[in-house]
Amino acid sequence: MDINQLITQYGYVALFLGCIAEGETFTLLGGVAAHEGLLHYGLVVLVAMAGGILGDTALFFLGRYYGANILKKFTKHQKQIKKANSLIRKRPVLFVIGVRFMYGLRIVGPIIIGSSRLKPQKFMLLNVIGAVLWALIFVSLGYIGGQVIAPWLHTLDRHLKQIFWVVLIVALVWGVRIWFKRRAARQPDEE
């Protein structure tokens, strides 16, 4: 089974799961796959939106019910959490829509929003708007970037077996080296 067949067969599922957890990397790669004709552009956008909406909604409700306890554990980031709460109160529309685009807040942002007591109905509407914008922007960037990335991916696909063997050999050498170091560390000094 080649990589194109794997993408065609499991691409939408991988994209959906990836967008629940993280997102940007998966949406960009989904756009590249759409550029290559392996996936349909419109479906990539819809699946990315669905994954993003579901992931952020789950994190919102996690924050709504357990947010205070979860956020207390981020002791080093309390100042940033307070700042985020202030922004949510002052500009909830911009914060909820924009949280997807804020580096470092992709996961914790919806938890903070949930703990802020923003109404779920308002969050859901803004979450959908944010997901639409986010999916369109990142999938389109991947699609456009596919013009640059696609030739490189074709070269990679041709050399995938060789790359696999090189990585395997490096991993084995590295593993044997670690094993010898640990073995030497366990033996008492011979003097």
Side-chain angles (χ1 to χ4, degrees), residues 12 23 29 34 42 45 51 55 62 72 74 76 84 92 97 103 113 120 122 126 130 133 140 145 149-150 157 173 191:
Y12 295 112
L29 291 174
V45 171
L62 183 72
K72 283 178 190 174
F74 292 96
K76 294 180 182 178
I97 291 173
Y103 180 76
I113 296 167
K122 188 170 188 173
L126 297 173
L133 293 172
S140 296
I149 296 170
D157 192 31
V173 168
E191 287 186 22

Side-chain angles (χ1 to χ4, degrees), residues 103-130:
Y103 180 76
L105 288 178
R106 180 72 175 98
I107 302 293
V108 75
I111 295 172
I112 295 170
I113 296 167
S115 71
S116 75
R117 294 297 178 213
L118 183 72
K119 292 182 180 177
Q121 300 86 340
K122 188 170 188 173
F123 171 78
M124 292 300 288
L125 174 64
L126 297 173
N127 186 32
V128 169
I129 293 168

Side-chain angles (χ1 to χ4, degrees), residues 145-166:
Q147 295 171 354
V148 175
I149 296 170
W152 180 78
L153 289 175
H154 290 298
T155 303
L156 177 68
D157 192 31
R158 268 198 317 263
H159 302 292
L160 200 55
K161 287 180 184 172
Q162 293 88 349
I163 292 170
F164 170 77
W165 287 111
V166 169

